[in-house]
Amino acid sequence: MKTHSSNYWTNHFLKNSLIKRINWNIEPNLNDLERKKILKSLQAWQLGETSEGKHLLHAAEKYAISTNDNEYPAAVKLFIKEEQKHGNNLGKYLDLIGEARIKKDWGDSLFRKIRYHNTNMEIWTLAVITVESVAQIFYQALKDATQCKLLKQICTDILIDEADHIIFQKERLYIIFSQKAPFSKFIAYHAYSCFFFCTSLIVWLAHKKLFIAGKLTFSRYLIKMKCKYSKIAGKSVLYQQERQQNISLIEV
């Protein structure tokens, strides 16, 4: 699998920060039925997007020293800034429709406790890529659950960003995984899968009403998550480099 340099990602995030996709002059028109179905999930997700990212950045700096990738923390810092943009935009929307920005949510609290004690870049990358994958499905469901043009634009902007976020994290997970010994790869692959799907289930349970409002059943949700895992951390993806090396040896 082709991977980009940290410098490439730093430049990408800088360029993307200059692109404006939301017309804030549009009046929000969230109706009462839509509000009832999506508000709690919207508030919870907005809170989750507001993290300062200090622990992630600390892990990135520690990782950069061990791998000599001095540019990586700068890329991670810009990635965090882009996530904060999402939180700010969702918060601005909540302000416009006269709803509160909540300060506590059980799902967000659980995730914050996990990351608070983590300094391992592999675990961080896996956690972020899992949340980003669920976020793609969440924001598409949110977009499909409303006729509000402004909210749809906010969701579209986030979905565009998230697509690149997943590539950014996918490449880092692949780099970390490819440096493992064969037995460690076996353990890691199954640990990745367990974490990914357990987290997916928790998110479904927490935001079931929103997903259903976006015309997404549990079976369709699960199919989408399986597809995402296959593309991000499936065996065929993670073991690609090993197969390519074996083919090269045979050709020689």
Side-chain angles (χ1 to χ4, degrees):
M1 185 180 80
K2 179 183 177 183
T3 59
H4 298 90
S5 68
S6 295
N7 186 61
Y8 166 89
W9 284 109
T10 298
N11 291 331
H12 165 80
F13 290 130
L14 286 171
K15 290 177 182 177
N16 195 51
S17 67
L18 302 176
I19 301 173
K20 308 300 179 186
R21 306 184 185 98
I22 303 170
N23 180 6
W24 289 104
N25 292 320
I26 298 174
E27 285 289 328
N29 60 337
L30 193 69
N31 64 49
D32 291 340
L33 181 60
E34 291 175 349
R35 190 181 299 247
K36 183 178 179 181
K37 291 180 177 179
I38 72 175
L39 180 60
K40 287 186 177 180
S41 289
L42 179 59
Q43 290 171 318
W45 216 273
Q46 188 276 329
L47 176 63
E49 298 276 24
T50 59
S51 171
E52 293 181 0
K54 291 188 293 185
H55 299 291
L56 172 55
L57 188 57
H58 174 68
E61 290 169 347
K62 179 183 173 183
Y63 171 81
I65 293 172
S66 66
T67 58
N68 241 358
D69 189 352
N70 298 326
E71 187 67 24
Y72 185 61
V76 170
K77 190 172 183 178
L78 290 170
F79 159 76
I80 293 169
K81 187 175 181 180
E82 201 159 271
E83 288 291 345
Q84 291 170 338
K85 179 195 77 172
H86 300 165
N88 290 335
N89 287 343
L90 292 172
K92 186 174 180 179
Y93 182 79
L94 287 170
D95 295 341
L96 288 172
I97 63 173
E99 297 291 350
R101 303 189 190 197
I102 63 173
K103 297 182 179 180
K104 193 171 184 179
D105 173 73
W106 71 266
D108 179 70
S109 297
L110 177 63
F111 187 65
R112 286 177 190 263
K113 284 180 181 179
I114 293 172
R115 66 196 182 195
Y116 183 82
H117 298 288
N118 176 42
T119 59
N120 181 282
M121 201 64 234
E122 180 180 16
I123 298 174
W124 260 112
T125 306
L126 176 61
V128 173
I129 203 171
T130 300
V131 174
E132 298 282 2
S133 298
V134 180
Q136 281 191 313
I137 298 177
F138 175 89
Y139 285 115
Q140 186 60 57
L142 178 59
K143 183 178 178 180
D144 293 339
T146 181
Q147 294 302 313
C148 177
K149 188 175 180 180
L150 178 58
L151 183 54
K152 282 180 175 291
Q153 284 192 4
I154 293 171
C155 290
T156 298
D157 178 63
I158 294 174
L159 285 166
I160 291 171
D161 289 345
E162 299 290 17
D164 288 318
H165 290 184
I166 287 179
I167 296 173
F168 175 57
Q169 301 296 343
K170 174 183 175 180
E171 290 181 357
R172 188 56 50 180
L173 188 65
Y174 176 76
I175 290 169
I176 294 171
F177 183 86
S178 65
Q179 295 170 347
K180 292 179 176 292
F183 183 69
S184 295
K185 285 182 178 179
F186 174 81
I187 297 297
Y189 172 75
H190 290 285
Y192 293 172
S193 178
C194 182
F195 180 86
F196 188 92
F197 288 107
C198 286
T199 303
S200 301
L201 179 59
I202 291 171
V203 174
W204 168 268
L205 293 173
H207 301 286
K208 179 180 177 180
K209 184 184 287 188
L210 180 278
F211 287 126
I212 293 175
K215 300 179 175 60
L216 196 63
T217 63
F218 178 68
S219 59
R220 286 185 61 203
Y221 171 81
L222 195 58
I223 289 170
K224 286 178 179 289
M225 290 308 298
K226 285 181 178 178
C227 182
K228 287 188 178 297
Y229 183 79
S230 179
K231 291 179 180 179
I232 293 165
K235 200 165 188 177
S236 61
V237 174
L238 292 176
Y239 284 88
Q240 183 178 359
Q241 185 184 55
E242 189 172 333
R243 291 203 312 273
Q244 289 174 342
Q245 288 173 342
N246 291 337
I247 290 171
S248 299
L249 288 173
I250 293 171
E251 290 176 344
V252 172

